[in-house]
Amino acid sequence: MSSTTDNHIHQNNHHNGSRVAKKPKLSSFITASEIESEFGHHDASVARINNGSFGCCPASIIAAQHRWQLRYLRQPDHFYFNDLQTGILQSRTLIKDLVNADHVDEISIVDNATTAAAIVLQHAAWNFREGRFQKGDVVLMLHYAYGAVKKSMEAYVTRAGGNVVEVPLPFPVNSNDEIVSEFRKALERGNSNGNRVRLAVIDHVTSMPCVVIPVKELIQICREEGVDQVFVDAAHSIGCTDVDMKEIGADFYTSNLHKWFFCPPSIAFLYTRRNPKGSGSDLHHPVVSHEYGNGLAVESAWIGTRDYSAQLVVPAAVEFVNRFEGGIEGIKKRNHEAVVEMGEMLAKAWGTRLGSPAHMCASMVMVGLPACLGIGSDSDALELRTQLRDAFGVEVPLYYRPPREGEVGVITGYARISHQVYNKVDDYYKFRDAVNQLVQNGFTCAAGLSG
């Protein structure tokens, strides 16, 4: 196999690349060479298998963003009064269709999922302070929640008098049933001693370690157990796994478009389900500006003078993904198949395993590293990651999984590999060979990375 991309992209052998020729193309699908051109600004010396952290943005969308920036700089007043709100509404409308929301008013555009989490947890804090939630009532979250969300819990919920209960999740994980079982136990703990679980914060795709969470099933459990509201932190989801607001059924849902939907940093949407009782209608952006009180979507569309261009290129991103066979659905499918294939290749080469079965992966997979590397702490994992970047030209995040009591000789280090349309099989071979070289050299974290 010469390239995972080459295997999955529909080749257009009749495309002549000339702007002068008038003959129509026999196929409109993007070619492998066009993909390389779109991502030609990437550092060619680095095997970039970490799309999950910062995403990627093709040249055509960078160009679209630049046009928006110049449009503003050319005549800011005209842009403010005539272009900005129209452009953001167009982006919100496209996102509404992408995620199958009922109404565009349910979609707000914010900087990132961290901002969205602050909006929802700020709302929860007000509910505690104003007596709608009782002191000691509970906000539930997964143990593998994103670090910034945990900090927001501390800043908003804990300070307002709420208790935070974490759902411990196994890793490696073998089935959705393991997650459901732990979630039910945590709900029971949260609803004990006269307290109630008021809000559940559930990841759709956990960041580190990465696992696709059965959100629909967990939300259904929340409804059965009387949890007031559910917020799905789905930073990775759009463009990576299936996102359907009507099927998922959350009260609040957020996802970044700069991770897996090719937008430049930074843009995310926050879905707020319409509720005839008005619950959730008093959400507000934490940056208060002139639009305060006009609804979250309007507030978020103007938080002061700044660069809004990333929020205006959603039409260009939709146009880009539709150049691929099957559109975004085809991209998701091919990325999933390729990353599982590459993960299994690496696990076989190192005699390890994947961190979860294929059906619990999307476009990212956790792959066990050889135990002989001796990863014994988070700092070991970070320093080894730096070594891979600086000495081998491989960019990949590493995860330390502490051994449980009584475990001996277990895998303590995992790599989270991503696959996006620009990746080729050589990226993963480069990673494989770098780790094999470290093993052959007798390298261990305990002996020190400087040697």
Side-chain angles (χ1 to χ4, degrees):
M1 174 169 75
S2 61
S3 153
T4 49
T5 299
D6 291 344
N7 274 356
H8 297 296
I9 296 298
H10 181 98
Q11 296 299 314
N12 175 16
N13 296 323
H14 301 276
H15 177 60
N16 60 20
S18 172
R19 293 183 178 273
V20 178
K22 299 296 182 180
K23 291 182 180 180
K25 300 177 185 178
L26 297 183
S27 168
S28 58
F29 294 133
I30 193 169
T31 66
S33 62
E34 287 171 331
I35 292 172
E36 288 187 8
S37 177
E38 285 280 11
F39 296 98
H41 52 282
H42 285 191
D43 186 343
S45 69
V46 176
R48 183 169 162 164
I49 51 178
N50 182 29
N51 191 82
S53 285
F54 298 105
C56 61
C57 188
S60 57
I61 297 177
I62 294 172
Q65 180 185 28
H66 188 54
R67 289 193 294 273
W68 277 110
Q69 290 169 329
L70 289 178
R71 198 164 164 182
Y72 164 74
L73 293 169
R74 187 178 298 117
Q75 223 289 41
D77 297 82
H78 182 277
F79 180 86
Y80 174 78
F81 286 106
N82 297 286
D83 297 337
L84 178 60
Q85 298 308 319
T86 301
I88 287 181
L89 179 59
Q90 184 180 11
S91 291
R92 289 172 53 214
T93 301
L94 287 170
I95 294 168
K96 186 268 290 186
D97 293 338
L98 285 167
V99 304
N100 195 28
D102 276 322
H103 197 276
V104 70
D105 288 347
E106 297 176 316
I107 302 296
S108 302
I109 294 180
V110 295
D111 277 353
N112 46 47
T114 301
T115 303
I119 290 169
V120 174
L121 295 178
Q122 173 184 253
H123 179 251
W126 291 338
N127 282 332
F128 279 107
R129 289 192 180 116
E130 296 168 7
R132 288 183 290 274
F133 296 168
Q134 301 303 308
K135 299 289 184 182
D137 279 349
V138 169
V139 175
L140 193 73
M141 70 173 174
L142 306 186
H143 174 65
Y144 294 130
Y146 189 56
V149 175
K150 289 189 174 184
K151 291 293 186 182
S152 288
M153 287 283 192
E154 182 181 333
Y156 292 109
V157 175
T158 305
R159 289 187 64 183
N163 285 335
V164 177
V165 172
E166 292 192 9
V167 182
L169 295 181
F171 184 81
V173 61
N174 298 305
S175 70
N176 286 332
D177 290 343
E178 293 178 347
I179 295 172
V180 170
S181 174
E182 292 297 336
F183 191 82
R184 286 189 182 276
K185 292 175 189 175
L187 267 180
E188 187 176 343
R189 290 197 305 275
N191 284 324
S192 63
N193 301 319
N195 297 323
R196 286 181 55 189
V197 177
R198 296 291 192 165
L199 171 68
V201 180
I202 303 171
D203 299 68
H204 197 163
V205 182
T206 57
S207 175
M208 187 66 92
C210 67
V211 177
V212 178
I213 301 296
V215 288
K216 287 186 280 188
E217 191 168 354
L218 298 189
I219 291 171
Q220 182 59 40
I221 292 168
C222 287
R223 303 306 183 200
E224 293 168 358
E225 296 298 325
V227 177
D228 289 32
Q229 296 175 328
V230 179
F231 168 47
V232 176
D233 175 14
H236 288 275
S237 66
I238 189 166
C240 181
T241 192
D242 295 338
V243 179
D244 187 311
M245 295 302 96
K246 293 174 187 174
E247 284 190 8
I248 291 169
D251 299 287
F252 314 113
Y253 188 106
T254 186
S255 185
N256 295 309
L257 281 82
H258 56 255
K259 284 187 181 289
W260 294 96
F261 206 79
F262 302 102
C263 287
S266 59
I267 171 177
F269 75 89
L270 173 58
Y271 163 85
T272 305
R273 186 171 65 170
R274 277 183 159 184
N275 190 326
K277 297 179 182 179
S279 174
S281 61
D282 58 340
L283 267 72
H284 294 282
H285 198 286
V287 177
V288 177
S289 192
H290 297 287
E291 298 293 353
Y292 181 82
N294 291 328
L296 179 62
V298 177
E299 289 182 17
S300 300
W302 181 259
I303 56 172
T305 301
R306 51 159 296 175
D307 183 0
Y308 289 90
S309 59
Q311 302 182 5
L312 297 167
V313 298
V314 176
V318 170
E319 182 179 340
F320 177 76
V321 300
N322 285 336
R323 293 168 65 189
F324 290 78
E325 186 173 11
I328 193 61
E329 295 301 319
I331 292 172
K332 287 191 304 186
K333 180 177 184 293
R334 291 185 290 271
N335 280 340
H336 169 73
E337 292 170 350
V339 81
V340 170
E341 181 183 355
M342 293 298 95
E344 290 174 342
M345 179 273 293
L346 293 171
K348 182 178 180 181
W350 299 331
T352 62
R353 58 163 291 175
L354 301 185
S356 64
H359 72 271
M360 299 180 75
C361 305
S363 301
M364 300 183 292
V365 168
M366 301 297 292
V367 186
L369 294 164
C372 62
L373 293 176
I375 298 172
S377 65
D378 291 330
S379 61
D380 280 351
L382 183 58
E383 289 177 20
L384 179 55
R385 176 180 181 178
T386 303
Q387 174 90 342
L388 287 166
R389 178 191 304 124
D390 293 346
F392 295 96
V394 175
E395 189 60 66
V396 62
L398 305 183
Y399 172 71
Y400 168 60
R401 187 269 194 189
R404 301 188 187 101
E405 188 176 350
E407 288 185 334
V408 178
V410 296
I411 299 168
T412 57
Y414 284 80
R416 187 190 75 185
I417 63 168
S418 300
H419 189 280
Q420 187 49 290
V421 297
Y422 56 80
N423 283 121
K424 298 182 178 181
V425 69
D426 286 345
D427 296 331
Y428 306 91
Y429 287 164
K430 189 175 185 179
F431 181 30
R432 177 200 62 190
D433 294 345
V435 170
N436 285 346
Q437 185 66 54
L438 289 171
V439 171
Q440 289 165 13
N441 291 346
F443 167 86
T444 67
C445 290
L449 285 147
S450 60

